Amino acid sequence: MSISENLSRIQQQIEQISAEYQRENVRLLAVSKTKPVQAIEEAIRAGQCAFGENYVQEGVEKIAYFSGNKLLEWHFIGPLQSNKSRLVAEHFDWIQTVDRFKIAERLNDQRPEHLPPLNVLIQINISDESSKSGIQPEEMFSLAEKISQFPRLKLRGLMAIPKPESEPEQQKIALRKMKDLFNRLQQRFESVDTLSMGMSDDMASAIDCGSTMVRIGTAIFGERNYSQKV
């Protein structure tokens, strides 16, 4: 199937799942990491506007290539090293992986004045995996309070990559914990409106548990060749 056909199929799935679980306005983030600009162009022609990139330099090059299209929205969704924070601050619209004060502070200081505030999601290590980034749930409010004070950042919500589970009910344990955290954060900060969780294998469970944004890559663009990453 083509990229446009894949996008149409996934959008239909999102709509069907959303209707089944009585959810509204679930957004699709197309994860375009390692994929060439030609693949992104096909997705754009099919109506997709929001794209996620994991590698800073690769993402910056793609953003520059598509700089004439002001409808596009670029999300950084990979772990961010301090020495690359300026590139994210200067080029991306969103970062979904803030998990420490130092990174938030650098992003705020490096965000150009002529751009809108950088949209920020706090990454939660909801399954407590040592191999994954993210803060512990009990650290959420402390970091959120600090982010909310930065004028060049806008706190939008939470992101998580739960541990893979083969059974939907097992998947939903971590996803429900994320929804509870999101509800609590939303009660304190009026700017919070985004809960980014769910990928190809757990999309239905994530939407059921309240995700407002699912991150889908391979099911849209096909298998990845990581030897080509920048």
Side-chain angles (χ1 to χ4, degrees):
M1 296 179 73
S2 67
I3 290 171
S4 59
E5 289 172 329
N6 289 339
L7 273 168
S8 177
R9 173 176 52 82
I10 292 165
Q11 287 285 14
Q12 288 177 357
Q13 290 175 351
I14 291 172
E15 291 171 9
Q16 290 168 355
I17 296 165
S18 298
E20 179 180 352
Y21 294 118
Q22 297 182 312
R23 304 297 181 188
E24 295 181 348
N25 303 320
V26 178
R27 299 184 62 202
L28 170 61
L29 183 68
V31 180
S32 47
K33 63 177 181 180
T34 78
K35 293 300 177 180
V37 294
Q38 292 81 6
I40 299 174
E41 285 176 326
E42 184 177 344
I44 293 170
R45 287 194 297 270
Q48 181 65 26
C49 292
F51 295 91
E53 292 286 331
N54 284 57
Y55 309 112
V56 176
Q57 191 60 47
E58 177 191 345
V60 168
E61 290 173 3
K62 290 175 180 176
I63 292 168
Y65 181 89
F66 291 105
S67 60
N69 189 336
K70 302 306 181 185
L71 297 178
L72 301 186
E73 186 178 278
W74 295 94
H75 295 235
F76 186 74
I77 59 173
L80 181 60
Q81 299 170 342
S82 295
N83 63 351
K84 294 185 178 180
S85 61
R86 181 176 295 277
L87 289 172
V88 171
E90 291 179 345
H91 296 279
F92 283 82
D93 304 300
W94 289 66
I95 177 169
Q96 298 202 11
T97 51
V98 171
D99 62 358
R100 56 196 189 278
F101 173 75
K102 179 182 178 182
I103 287 292
E105 183 177 43
R106 288 177 67 89
L107 290 168
N108 176 73
D109 293 345
Q110 295 165 344
R111 183 68 169 175
E113 289 289 334
H114 71 276
L115 294 177
L118 181 65
N119 296 293
V120 170
L121 300 185
I122 296 172
Q123 183 173 359
I124 306 290
N125 190 345
I126 195 64
S127 301
D128 196 20
E129 296 178 90
S130 60
S131 62
K132 288 181 181 172
S133 302
I135 62 170
Q136 294 299 306
E138 59 269 20
E139 300 173 298
M140 176 185 73
F141 279 123
S142 175
L143 182 56
E145 290 282 1
K146 293 170 183 174
I147 291 171
S148 71
Q149 299 302 311
F150 287 128
R152 305 305 302 148
L153 303 181
K154 184 174 183 180
L155 179 65
R156 297 293 295 271
L158 302 176
M159 178 270 227
I161 309 172
K163 180 182 177 181
E165 301 285 356
S166 58
E167 296 297 326
E169 284 309 309
Q170 285 297 115
Q171 291 175 342
K172 291 179 183 179
I173 294 173
L175 295 168
R176 289 188 182 115
K177 290 179 182 177
M178 282 299 303
K179 182 60 164 79
D180 178 63
L181 291 171
F182 177 71
N183 288 344
R184 290 163 57 196
L185 193 69
Q186 205 169 33
Q187 289 170 4
R188 189 175 298 190
F189 301 96
E190 62 181 25
S191 63
V192 170
D193 59 6
T194 302
L195 177 55
S196 173
M197 62 182 189
M199 296 183 283
S200 297
D201 291 340
D202 62 351
M203 181 173 73
S205 295
I207 293 173
D208 178 19
C209 293
S211 173
T212 69
M213 180 181 292
V214 292
R215 309 181 303 271
I216 309 295
T218 302
I220 296 172
F221 296 107
E223 295 297 326
R224 304 187 189 283
N225 180 0
Y226 284 96
S227 67
Q228 301 300 311
K229 77 177 180 68
V230 178

Short mmCIF file of all heavy atoms in Angstrom, two decimals, residues 123-181:
data_model
loop_
_atom_site.label_atom_id
_atom_site.label_comp_id
_atom_site.label_asym_id
_atom_site.label_seq_id
_atom_site.Cartn_x
_atom_site.Cartn_y
_atom_site.Cartn_z
N GLN A 123 7.84 14.09 29.60
CA GLN A 123 7.86 12.64 29.41
C GLN A 123 7.89 11.94 30.77
O GLN A 123 8.74 12.21 31.61
CB GLN A 123 9.08 12.20 28.59
CG GLN A 123 9.08 10.70 28.31
CD GLN A 123 10.18 10.26 27.37
OE1 GLN A 123 10.96 11.08 26.87
NE2 GLN A 123 10.26 8.98 27.11
N ILE A 124 6.95 11.01 30.94
CA ILE A 124 6.84 10.22 32.17
C ILE A 124 7.32 8.80 31.90
O ILE A 124 6.89 8.16 30.94
CB ILE A 124 5.38 10.16 32.68
CG1 ILE A 124 4.79 11.57 32.85
CG2 ILE A 124 5.30 9.37 33.98
CD1 ILE A 124 5.36 12.37 33.97
N ASN A 125 8.21 8.30 32.74
CA ASN A 125 8.65 6.91 32.64
C ASN A 125 7.65 6.05 33.42
O ASN A 125 7.91 5.61 34.53
CB ASN A 125 10.07 6.76 33.20
CG ASN A 125 10.68 5.40 32.91
OD1 ASN A 125 9.98 4.45 32.54
ND2 ASN A 125 11.98 5.29 33.09
N ILE A 126 6.50 5.83 32.80
CA ILE A 126 5.36 5.27 33.52
C ILE A 126 5.55 3.81 33.88
O ILE A 126 4.95 3.32 34.85
CB ILE A 126 4.06 5.47 32.70
CG1 ILE A 126 2.81 5.24 33.57
CG2 ILE A 126 4.05 4.57 31.46
CD1 ILE A 126 2.67 6.26 34.70
N SER A 127 6.37 3.09 33.13
CA SER A 127 6.62 1.68 33.44
C SER A 127 7.92 1.47 34.22
O SER A 127 8.33 0.32 34.45
CB SER A 127 6.65 0.85 32.15
OG SER A 127 5.43 0.95 31.44
N ASP A 128 8.56 2.57 34.61
CA ASP A 128 9.78 2.53 35.42
C ASP A 128 10.84 1.63 34.79
O ASP A 128 11.40 0.75 35.44
CB ASP A 128 9.46 2.05 36.84
CG ASP A 128 10.60 2.35 37.81
OD1 ASP A 128 11.42 3.24 37.51
OD2 ASP A 128 10.68 1.68 38.86
N GLU A 129 11.13 1.88 33.51
CA GLU A 129 12.13 1.12 32.78
C GLU A 129 13.45 1.89 32.75
O GLU A 129 13.49 3.05 32.34
CB GLU A 129 11.67 0.85 31.36
CG GLU A 129 10.43 -0.03 31.27
CD GLU A 129 9.99 -0.23 29.83
OE1 GLU A 129 10.45 -1.17 29.20
OE2 GLU A 129 9.20 0.60 29.34
N SER A 130 14.52 1.24 33.16
CA SER A 130 15.82 1.91 33.21
C SER A 130 16.32 2.27 31.82
O SER A 130 17.15 3.18 31.67
CB SER A 130 16.84 1.01 33.90
OG SER A 130 16.98 -0.22 33.21
N SER A 131 15.82 1.60 30.79
CA SER A 131 16.27 1.85 29.42
C SER A 131 15.59 3.06 28.78
O SER A 131 15.95 3.46 27.67
CB SER A 131 16.03 0.61 28.55
OG SER A 131 14.65 0.31 28.49
N LYS A 132 14.59 3.62 29.45
CA LYS A 132 13.82 4.71 28.86
C LYS A 132 13.99 6.01 29.62
O LYS A 132 14.20 6.02 30.84
CB LYS A 132 12.33 4.33 28.78
CG LYS A 132 12.03 3.28 27.73
CD LYS A 132 10.56 2.95 27.68
CE LYS A 132 10.29 1.86 26.63
NZ LYS A 132 8.90 1.37 26.69
N SER A 133 13.86 7.10 28.88
CA SER A 133 13.91 8.43 29.48
C SER A 133 12.58 8.72 30.18
O SER A 133 11.62 7.96 30.07
CB SER A 133 14.17 9.47 28.41
OG SER A 133 15.38 9.20 27.73
N GLY A 134 12.54 9.85 30.85
CA GLY A 134 11.31 10.26 31.51
C GLY A 134 11.47 10.36 33.01
O GLY A 134 12.31 9.70 33.61
N ILE A 135 10.63 11.19 33.61
CA ILE A 135 10.67 11.36 35.05
C ILE A 135 9.71 10.38 35.72
O ILE A 135 8.83 9.80 35.09
CB ILE A 135 10.31 12.80 35.46
CG1 ILE A 135 8.88 13.14 35.01
CG2 ILE A 135 11.31 13.79 34.87
CD1 ILE A 135 8.38 14.46 35.59
N GLN A 136 9.87 10.22 37.02
CA GLN A 136 8.93 9.43 37.80
C GLN A 136 7.65 10.23 38.01
O GLN A 136 7.67 11.48 38.07
CB GLN A 136 9.55 9.05 39.14
CG GLN A 136 10.74 8.13 39.04
CD GLN A 136 10.39 6.80 38.38
OE1 GLN A 136 9.46 6.11 38.81
NE2 GLN A 136 11.12 6.45 37.33
N PRO A 137 6.51 9.57 38.12
CA PRO A 137 5.24 10.29 38.27
C PRO A 137 5.23 11.30 39.41
O PRO A 137 4.67 12.39 39.27
CB PRO A 137 4.24 9.16 38.52
CG PRO A 137 4.83 7.98 37.80
CD PRO A 137 6.31 8.11 37.99
N GLU A 138 5.88 10.96 40.52
CA GLU A 138 5.85 11.87 41.67
C GLU A 138 6.65 13.15 41.44
O GLU A 138 6.53 14.12 42.20
CB GLU A 138 6.36 11.16 42.92
CG GLU A 138 7.78 10.63 42.82
CD GLU A 138 7.84 9.19 42.31
OE1 GLU A 138 6.86 8.73 41.68
OE2 GLU A 138 8.88 8.54 42.56
N GLU A 139 7.45 13.20 40.38
CA GLU A 139 8.22 14.40 40.05
C GLU A 139 7.47 15.34 39.10
O GLU A 139 7.95 16.44 38.80
CB GLU A 139 9.55 14.01 39.41
CG GLU A 139 10.44 13.13 40.28
CD GLU A 139 11.67 12.62 39.52
OE1 GLU A 139 11.49 11.88 38.53
OE2 GLU A 139 12.78 12.99 39.93
N MET A 140 6.31 14.92 38.64
CA MET A 140 5.60 15.64 37.57
C MET A 140 5.26 17.08 37.96
O MET A 140 5.57 18.02 37.21
CB MET A 140 4.32 14.89 37.20
CG MET A 140 3.46 15.61 36.16
SD MET A 140 1.89 14.77 35.86
CE MET A 140 0.98 15.14 37.39
N PHE A 141 4.65 17.28 39.11
CA PHE A 141 4.19 18.62 39.46
C PHE A 141 5.34 19.58 39.66
O PHE A 141 5.26 20.76 39.28
CB PHE A 141 3.30 18.58 40.70
CG PHE A 141 1.88 18.19 40.43
CD1 PHE A 141 1.30 17.11 41.06
CD2 PHE A 141 1.12 18.92 39.52
CE1 PHE A 141 -0.01 16.75 40.80
CE2 PHE A 141 -0.20 18.57 39.25
CZ PHE A 141 -0.76 17.49 39.89
N SER A 142 6.43 19.10 40.23
CA SER A 142 7.58 19.97 40.46
C SER A 142 8.13 20.50 39.14
O SER A 142 8.38 21.71 38.99
CB SER A 142 8.67 19.21 41.22
OG SER A 142 9.84 19.99 41.34
N LEU A 143 8.32 19.61 38.15
CA LEU A 143 8.84 20.03 36.86
C LEU A 143 7.82 20.89 36.12
O LEU A 143 8.17 21.90 35.49
CB LEU A 143 9.24 18.82 36.02
CG LEU A 143 9.85 19.11 34.65
CD1 LEU A 143 11.07 20.01 34.78
CD2 LEU A 143 10.23 17.80 33.94
N ALA A 144 6.56 20.52 36.22
CA ALA A 144 5.51 21.28 35.52
C ALA A 144 5.44 22.71 36.04
O ALA A 144 5.28 23.66 35.26
CB ALA A 144 4.16 20.59 35.70
N GLU A 145 5.55 22.90 37.34
CA GLU A 145 5.52 24.24 37.91
C GLU A 145 6.65 25.09 37.35
O GLU A 145 6.46 26.27 37.02
CB GLU A 145 5.63 24.16 39.45
CG GLU A 145 4.40 23.60 40.14
CD GLU A 145 3.28 24.62 40.24
OE1 GLU A 145 3.45 25.76 39.77
OE2 GLU A 145 2.23 24.27 40.81
N LYS A 146 7.83 24.51 37.24
CA LYS A 146 8.98 25.26 36.74
C LYS A 146 8.81 25.60 35.26
O LYS A 146 9.09 26.73 34.84
CB LYS A 146 10.26 24.44 36.96
CG LYS A 146 10.61 24.27 38.42
CD LYS A 146 11.73 23.26 38.63
CE LYS A 146 12.01 23.06 40.11
NZ LYS A 146 13.00 21.98 40.35
N ILE A 147 8.33 24.63 34.47
CA ILE A 147 8.12 24.88 33.04
C ILE A 147 7.10 25.99 32.85
O ILE A 147 7.25 26.86 31.97
CB ILE A 147 7.68 23.59 32.32
CG1 ILE A 147 8.84 22.59 32.28
CG2 ILE A 147 7.18 23.89 30.90
CD1 ILE A 147 8.46 21.22 31.78
N SER A 148 6.05 25.98 33.65
CA SER A 148 4.97 26.96 33.48
C SER A 148 5.43 28.38 33.74
O SER A 148 4.76 29.33 33.32
CB SER A 148 3.81 26.61 34.42
OG SER A 148 4.15 26.87 35.78
N GLN A 149 6.56 28.55 34.41
CA GLN A 149 7.08 29.88 34.71
C GLN A 149 7.93 30.46 33.58
O GLN A 149 8.24 31.65 33.58
CB GLN A 149 7.92 29.84 36.01
CG GLN A 149 7.15 29.40 37.23
CD GLN A 149 5.95 30.26 37.52
OE1 GLN A 149 6.04 31.49 37.54
NE2 GLN A 149 4.80 29.62 37.75
N PHE A 150 8.30 29.62 32.62
CA PHE A 150 9.16 30.09 31.52
C PHE A 150 8.31 30.77 30.45
O PHE A 150 7.39 30.16 29.91
CB PHE A 150 9.93 28.92 30.91
CG PHE A 150 11.05 28.40 31.76
CD1 PHE A 150 11.15 27.05 32.05
CD2 PHE A 150 12.03 29.27 32.25
CE1 PHE A 150 12.20 26.57 32.83
CE2 PHE A 150 13.08 28.78 33.02
CZ PHE A 150 13.16 27.44 33.31
N PRO A 151 8.64 32.00 30.08
CA PRO A 151 7.81 32.72 29.11
C PRO A 151 7.91 32.20 27.68
O PRO A 151 6.99 32.43 26.89
CB PRO A 151 8.35 34.16 29.20
CG PRO A 151 9.76 34.01 29.67
CD PRO A 151 9.73 32.84 30.61
N ARG A 152 9.00 31.53 27.34
CA ARG A 152 9.19 31.05 25.97
C ARG A 152 8.79 29.60 25.80
O ARG A 152 9.02 29.00 24.74
CB ARG A 152 10.65 31.24 25.53
CG ARG A 152 11.19 32.65 25.67
CD ARG A 152 10.34 33.68 24.94
NE ARG A 152 10.23 33.38 23.52
CZ ARG A 152 9.17 33.66 22.78
NH1 ARG A 152 8.11 34.22 23.32
NH2 ARG A 152 9.16 33.36 21.50
N LEU A 153 8.21 29.00 26.84
CA LEU A 153 7.70 27.63 26.78
C LEU A 153 6.21 27.63 27.12
O LEU A 153 5.74 28.46 27.89
CB LEU A 153 8.43 26.71 27.77
CG LEU A 153 9.95 26.62 27.65
CD1 LEU A 153 10.49 25.64 28.69
CD2 LEU A 153 10.39 26.20 26.25
N LYS A 154 5.48 26.68 26.55
CA LYS A 154 4.07 26.51 26.87
C LYS A 154 3.82 25.05 27.25
O LYS A 154 3.96 24.15 26.43
CB LYS A 154 3.19 26.90 25.69
CG LYS A 154 1.69 26.83 26.01
CD LYS A 154 0.85 27.36 24.86
CE LYS A 154 -0.64 27.35 25.22
NZ LYS A 154 -1.47 27.87 24.11
N LEU A 155 3.48 24.82 28.49
CA LEU A 155 3.20 23.47 28.97
C LEU A 155 1.90 22.96 28.37
O LEU A 155 0.84 23.55 28.59
CB LEU A 155 3.11 23.46 30.49
CG LEU A 155 2.80 22.12 31.15
CD1 LEU A 155 3.93 21.13 30.91
CD2 LEU A 155 2.55 22.30 32.65
N ARG A 156 1.97 21.87 27.61
CA ARG A 156 0.79 21.34 26.93
C ARG A 156 0.33 20.00 27.48
O ARG A 156 -0.80 19.59 27.21
CB ARG A 156 1.05 21.22 25.44
CG ARG A 156 1.33 22.53 24.72
CD ARG A 156 0.12 23.45 24.70
NE ARG A 156 -0.98 22.88 23.92
CZ ARG A 156 -1.14 23.08 22.60
NH1 ARG A 156 -0.28 23.83 21.93
NH2 ARG A 156 -2.17 22.55 21.97
N GLY A 157 1.20 19.27 28.21
CA GLY A 157 0.74 17.99 28.73
C GLY A 157 1.83 16.98 28.95
O GLY A 157 2.96 17.33 29.33
N LEU A 158 1.48 15.72 28.69
CA LEU A 158 2.35 14.59 29.02
C LEU A 158 2.55 13.66 27.83
O LEU A 158 1.70 13.57 26.95
CB LEU A 158 1.76 13.78 30.17
CG LEU A 158 1.47 14.51 31.48
CD1 LEU A 158 0.79 13.56 32.46
CD2 LEU A 158 2.74 15.10 32.08
N MET A 159 3.67 12.95 27.87
CA MET A 159 3.96 11.91 26.88
C MET A 159 4.54 10.70 27.59
O MET A 159 5.21 10.83 28.63
CB MET A 159 4.97 12.44 25.85
CG MET A 159 5.38 11.41 24.80
SD MET A 159 6.84 10.43 25.27
CE MET A 159 7.80 10.54 23.78
N ALA A 160 4.26 9.51 27.08
CA ALA A 160 4.83 8.29 27.65
C ALA A 160 4.99 7.22 26.58
O ALA A 160 4.28 7.22 25.57
CB ALA A 160 3.96 7.77 28.79
N ILE A 161 5.96 6.33 26.83
CA ILE A 161 6.15 5.13 26.02
C ILE A 161 6.07 3.95 26.98
O ILE A 161 7.08 3.49 27.52
CB ILE A 161 7.52 5.14 25.31
CG1 ILE A 161 7.73 6.46 24.55
CG2 ILE A 161 7.63 3.95 24.35
CD1 ILE A 161 9.13 6.63 23.98
N PRO A 162 4.86 3.45 27.24
CA PRO A 162 4.73 2.34 28.19
C PRO A 162 5.45 1.07 27.72
O PRO A 162 5.70 0.89 26.52
CB PRO A 162 3.22 2.10 28.26
CG PRO A 162 2.61 3.38 27.78
CD PRO A 162 3.56 3.91 26.76
N LYS A 163 5.78 0.24 28.66
CA LYS A 163 6.40 -1.04 28.36
C LYS A 163 5.47 -1.87 27.45
O LYS A 163 4.26 -1.94 27.69
CB LYS A 163 6.64 -1.80 29.67
CG LYS A 163 7.27 -3.17 29.52
CD LYS A 163 7.42 -3.82 30.89
CE LYS A 163 8.00 -5.23 30.76
NZ LYS A 163 8.12 -5.89 32.09
N PRO A 164 6.01 -2.49 26.41
CA PRO A 164 5.17 -3.30 25.52
C PRO A 164 4.50 -4.46 26.27
O PRO A 164 5.14 -5.14 27.08
CB PRO A 164 6.15 -3.83 24.47
CG PRO A 164 7.31 -2.89 24.52
CD PRO A 164 7.42 -2.45 25.95
N GLU A 165 3.25 -4.67 26.00
CA GLU A 165 2.48 -5.78 26.59
C GLU A 165 1.68 -6.45 25.48
O GLU A 165 1.18 -5.79 24.57
CB GLU A 165 1.53 -5.28 27.67
CG GLU A 165 2.19 -4.56 28.84
CD GLU A 165 2.90 -5.51 29.80
OE1 GLU A 165 2.81 -6.73 29.59
OE2 GLU A 165 3.52 -5.01 30.74
N SER A 166 1.56 -7.76 25.56
CA SER A 166 0.86 -8.50 24.50
C SER A 166 -0.64 -8.45 24.66
O SER A 166 -1.39 -8.59 23.68
CB SER A 166 1.33 -9.96 24.48
OG SER A 166 1.11 -10.57 25.74
N GLU A 167 -1.13 -8.25 25.87
CA GLU A 167 -2.57 -8.26 26.12
C GLU A 167 -3.09 -6.84 26.36
O GLU A 167 -2.48 -6.07 27.12
CB GLU A 167 -2.89 -9.12 27.35
CG GLU A 167 -2.57 -10.59 27.16
CD GLU A 167 -3.38 -11.24 26.06
OE1 GLU A 167 -4.56 -10.85 25.88
OE2 GLU A 167 -2.85 -12.12 25.38
N PRO A 168 -4.21 -6.48 25.73
CA PRO A 168 -4.76 -5.13 25.91
C PRO A 168 -4.97 -4.72 27.37
O PRO A 168 -4.70 -3.58 27.73
CB PRO A 168 -6.09 -5.19 25.15
CG PRO A 168 -5.86 -6.22 24.10
CD PRO A 168 -4.98 -7.26 24.74
N GLU A 169 -5.47 -5.63 28.19
CA GLU A 169 -5.72 -5.26 29.58
C GLU A 169 -4.44 -4.96 30.32
O GLU A 169 -4.41 -4.11 31.22
CB GLU A 169 -6.52 -6.36 30.30
CG GLU A 169 -7.98 -6.38 29.93
CD GLU A 169 -8.65 -5.01 30.07
OE1 GLU A 169 -8.51 -4.37 31.14
OE2 GLU A 169 -9.30 -4.56 29.11
N GLN A 170 -3.36 -5.64 29.96
CA GLN A 170 -2.06 -5.33 30.56
C GLN A 170 -1.56 -3.98 30.06
O GLN A 170 -0.99 -3.19 30.83
CB GLN A 170 -1.04 -6.43 30.23
CG GLN A 170 -1.23 -7.71 31.02
CD GLN A 170 -1.04 -7.50 32.51
OE1 GLN A 170 -1.97 -7.64 33.30
NE2 GLN A 170 0.16 -7.13 32.91
N GLN A 171 -1.78 -3.70 28.78
CA GLN A 171 -1.40 -2.41 28.22
C GLN A 171 -2.08 -1.27 28.98
O GLN A 171 -1.48 -0.23 29.27
CB GLN A 171 -1.80 -2.32 26.75
CG GLN A 171 -1.02 -3.21 25.80
CD GLN A 171 -1.58 -3.15 24.38
OE1 GLN A 171 -2.71 -2.72 24.16
NE2 GLN A 171 -0.78 -3.60 23.41
N LYS A 172 -3.34 -1.49 29.31
CA LYS A 172 -4.15 -0.41 29.87
C LYS A 172 -3.77 -0.04 31.30
O LYS A 172 -4.13 1.05 31.77
CB LYS A 172 -5.62 -0.78 29.79
CG LYS A 172 -6.15 -0.80 28.35
CD LYS A 172 -7.61 -1.20 28.29
CE LYS A 172 -8.08 -1.29 26.84
NZ LYS A 172 -9.50 -1.70 26.75
N ILE A 173 -3.05 -0.90 32.00
CA ILE A 173 -2.66 -0.56 33.38
C ILE A 173 -1.82 0.71 33.40
O ILE A 173 -2.12 1.66 34.13
CB ILE A 173 -1.91 -1.74 34.03
CG1 ILE A 173 -2.85 -2.93 34.20
CG2 ILE A 173 -1.32 -1.32 35.37
CD1 ILE A 173 -2.17 -4.20 34.69
N ALA A 174 -0.76 0.73 32.59
CA ALA A 174 0.11 1.91 32.53
C ALA A 174 -0.61 3.09 31.87
O ALA A 174 -0.45 4.25 32.29
CB ALA A 174 1.39 1.59 31.79
N LEU A 175 -1.40 2.80 30.85
CA LEU A 175 -2.10 3.87 30.14
C LEU A 175 -3.11 4.58 31.04
O LEU A 175 -3.26 5.80 30.97
CB LEU A 175 -2.79 3.29 28.90
CG LEU A 175 -1.85 2.73 27.82
CD1 LEU A 175 -2.64 1.92 26.80
CD2 LEU A 175 -1.07 3.84 27.13
N ARG A 176 -3.78 3.83 31.88
CA ARG A 176 -4.73 4.45 32.81
C ARG A 176 -4.00 5.30 33.86
O ARG A 176 -4.52 6.35 34.29
CB ARG A 176 -5.57 3.37 33.49
CG ARG A 176 -6.60 2.72 32.56
CD ARG A 176 -7.53 1.80 33.32
NE ARG A 176 -8.47 1.16 32.43
CZ ARG A 176 -8.53 -0.17 32.19
NH1 ARG A 176 -7.68 -0.98 32.82
NH2 ARG A 176 -9.43 -0.67 31.37
N LYS A 177 -2.83 4.86 34.27
CA LYS A 177 -2.03 5.66 35.20
C LYS A 177 -1.66 7.00 34.56
O LYS A 177 -1.70 8.04 35.21
CB LYS A 177 -0.76 4.90 35.59
CG LYS A 177 -0.98 3.70 36.49
CD LYS A 177 0.34 3.01 36.80
CE LYS A 177 0.14 1.76 37.65
NZ LYS A 177 1.43 1.06 37.90
N MET A 178 -1.32 6.95 33.27
CA MET A 178 -1.00 8.18 32.56
C MET A 178 -2.21 9.11 32.49
O MET A 178 -2.10 10.32 32.67
CB MET A 178 -0.50 7.87 31.15
CG MET A 178 0.94 7.40 31.08
SD MET A 178 2.14 8.62 31.71
CE MET A 178 1.77 10.04 30.67
N LYS A 179 -3.37 8.55 32.22
CA LYS A 179 -4.58 9.37 32.15
C LYS A 179 -4.87 10.03 33.49
O LYS A 179 -5.29 11.20 33.55
CB LYS A 179 -5.77 8.51 31.71
CG LYS A 179 -7.08 9.30 31.54
CD LYS A 179 -6.95 10.39 30.49
CE LYS A 179 -8.28 10.94 30.00
NZ LYS A 179 -8.89 11.89 30.89
N ASP A 180 -4.65 9.31 34.57
CA ASP A 180 -4.87 9.88 35.90
C ASP A 180 -3.91 11.04 36.15
O ASP A 180 -4.31 12.10 36.65
CB ASP A 180 -4.68 8.80 36.97
CG ASP A 180 -4.86 9.35 38.37
OD1 ASP A 180 -5.97 9.81 38.70
OD2 ASP A 180 -3.87 9.34 39.14
N LEU A 181 -2.64 10.86 35.77
CA LEU A 181 -1.66 11.94 35.91
C LEU A 181 -2.07 13.15 35.07
O LEU A 181 -1.98 14.29 35.51
CB LEU A 181 -0.27 11.45 35.51
CG LEU A 181 0.42 10.44 36.42
CD1 LEU A 181 1.68 9.91 35.75
CD2 LEU A 181 0.75 11.06 37.77
#
